[in-house]
Amino acid sequence: TLAARTTVGEPAWTAADGAATADQGATTFLVSDASYRDFELKVEFWVSEDANSGVFIRCASRTEITPATCYEVNLFDTRPDPTYGTGAIVNLAAVSPMPKAGGRWNTMVITAKGDTFDVTLNGQKTVEAPRHPARREGPFALQRAAGTVRFRKVEIRPL
């Protein structure tokens, strides 16, 4: 279902077969209606190999969603500079080696507690971010910028 989410950008999202899917048009986001402070966010996702996507957390704005206004956990296997590719937090915590997520269902767990962040992809920790107190609370957003993106079983648990 797309309930409890607001679309920002082109209204390219559809709900079918238990997943929210976007596969065409310009960059689009599904933004949570609620804000979160300390939480564990579990997301199952499927991206095509050419996809550019991400999970943005603690956004400062519900309408301006960028790595400068949110923390972006990247889903981007073909990023030209893989430093902040799949599994990284853009401009905060690099990933090495970068895992590949394209063409299959994956499970990502993002934990935000205080000013620390952990990201786990398919059971493997990809980053443990250094302390970063800039944004302490905000909504989360699911992004599609290129390729095909599907999200299902998006679950958030306050800590």
Side-chain angles (χ1 to χ4, degrees):
T1 179
L2 301 178
R5 315 253 187 294
T6 302
T7 300
V8 173
E10 289 196 13
W13 295 94
T14 59
D17 300 323
T21 301
D23 60 5
Q24 58 188 338
T27 300
T28 183
F29 299 90
L30 284 177
V31 183
S32 68
D33 288 342
S35 287
Y36 300 93
R37 187 171 182 85
D38 293 340
F39 59 85
E40 179 182 271
L41 176 62
K42 183 177 178 182
V43 178
E44 290 186 9
F45 69 91
W46 186 98
V47 291
S48 58
E49 292 180 8
D50 63 340
N52 178 357
S53 180
V55 178
F56 290 70
I57 61 170
R58 290 187 176 169
C59 296
S61 167
R62 290 184 192 288
T63 57
E64 183 183 342
I65 302 167
T66 71
T69 61
C70 309
Y71 296 106
E72 178 188 6
V73 180
N74 220 351
L75 306 175
F76 192 2
D77 287 357
T78 58
R79 189 174 196 269
D81 174 6
T83 304
Y84 296 111
T86 297
I89 301 175
V90 176
N91 300 327
L92 180 63
V95 62
S96 181
M98 183 183 73
K100 298 290 185 175
R104 62 191 164 101
W105 282 101
N106 300 271
T107 300
M108 177 177 280
V109 178
I110 302 165
T111 304
K113 187 165 184 175
D115 57 3
T116 61
F117 308 93
D118 291 330
V119 178
T120 302
L121 179 64
N122 298 325
Q124 296 289 338
K125 187 173 281 192
T126 59
V127 295
E128 187 170 346
R131 295 190 178 280
H132 198 271
R135 287 177 293 284
R136 297 295 211 143
E137 185 172 347
F140 69 87
L142 308 176
Q143 177 204 43
R144 184 264 173 200
T148 299
V149 178
R150 295 183 182 104
F151 291 99
R152 68 179 184 193
K153 295 186 183 177
V154 177
E155 303 168 342
I156 191 159
R157 179 177 62 93
L159 298 176

